[in-house]
Amino acid sequence: LFEKAVLWLHDAIEHGKTVLENVAMYELHMDIEAALLHTGEAITIGTQILEMLGIPLVAEPPGELNLDELFHLPAMTDPAALAALPILSKCVPAAYQLDTNLLNSVVYTMVKTSRTCGNDPHSAFAYVMYGLLLSSSPETLELGYRFGELGVNLLQQFNSKALECRV
């Protein structure tokens, strides 16, 4: 059944005119691969669509960030960024299972995209995940907690019920 669904998705993607038109199909393909426990394939699909959107994974942490400025960023309007954040969010569980460095890159990319393009409900998840990464060290534990709070507060601002359980 999943194999047929993937074939139908490939057909639908071939008929799409733009990358943005096909994003939902790629997301569904990622969901199918994740359901089949093909985490590597899910990540591959995610990174390919991110490249097509012009948002490659970054390997370096975002540097010093002002939490108040992040909270008050304007709403994200860039179509590629709006498409990229849900894909990056879908990459998090697979990256967590596969490779810590990959997880870091996914989270750094989410934070960088939000910082440069504005906030979106998925930015709340990005900040919480960044806080989780920071919390792995005693030196940055407090800052990690503050990023978690930022994510929760931002989610309340967007009133996004769909992401509540993730944040």
Side-chain angles (χ1 to χ4, degrees), residues 91-135:
C91 288
V92 166
Y96 178 82
Q97 292 173 12
L98 292 175
D99 179 7
T100 303
N101 291 327
L102 179 58
L103 174 64
N104 292 346
S105 290
V106 168
V107 173
Y108 298 160
T109 305
M110 291 176 75
V111 172
K112 178 184 177 189
T113 303
S114 297
R115 182 184 195 183
T116 58
C117 298
N119 282 326
D120 155 273
H122 289 277
S123 300
F125 181 63
Y127 300 140
V128 166
M129 287 305 301
Y130 188 59
L132 179 68
L133 297 181
L134 291 171
S135 296

Side-chain angles (χ1 to χ4, degrees), residues 6-148:
V6 170
L7 291 174
W8 291 333
L9 285 171
H10 286 286
D11 283 345
I13 289 168
E14 285 180 23
H15 289 86
K17 291 181 177 81
T18 67
V19 174
L20 289 171
E21 279 184 14
N22 289 330
V23 167
M25 299 302 149
Y26 284 109
E27 283 188 77
L28 187 54
H29 193 182
M30 289 176 69
D31 290 340
I32 290 170
E33 296 301 340
L36 293 170
L37 302 179
H38 300 160
T39 52
E41 184 62 25
I43 287 287
T44 299
I45 295 164
T47 55
Q48 287 173 347
I49 189 66
L50 290 169
E51 291 285 337
M52 287 186 250
L53 290 167
I55 301 179
L57 293 179
V58 296
E60 297 299 317
E64 192 168 325
L65 300 168
N66 181 305
L67 279 79
D68 191 53
E69 286 177 12
L70 290 174
F71 183 79
H72 291 98
L73 287 172
M76 186 178 291
T77 58
D78 179 81
L82 287 166
L85 279 186
I87 290 168
L88 287 159
S89 292
K90 286 180 183 283
C91 288
V92 166
Y96 178 82
Q97 292 173 12
L98 292 175
D99 179 7
T100 303
N101 291 327
L102 179 58
L103 174 64
N104 292 346
S105 290
V106 168
V107 173
Y108 298 160
T109 305
M110 291 176 75
V111 172
K112 178 184 177 189
T113 303
S114 297
R115 182 184 195 183
T116 58
C117 298
N119 282 326
D120 155 273
H122 289 277
S123 300
F125 181 63
Y127 300 140
V128 166
M129 287 305 301
Y130 188 59
L132 179 68
L133 297 181
L134 291 171
S135 296
S136 66
S137 168
E139 294 84 28
T140 54
L141 180 64
E142 175 63 32
L143 183 59
Y145 178 80
R146 291 179 44 224
F147 267 94

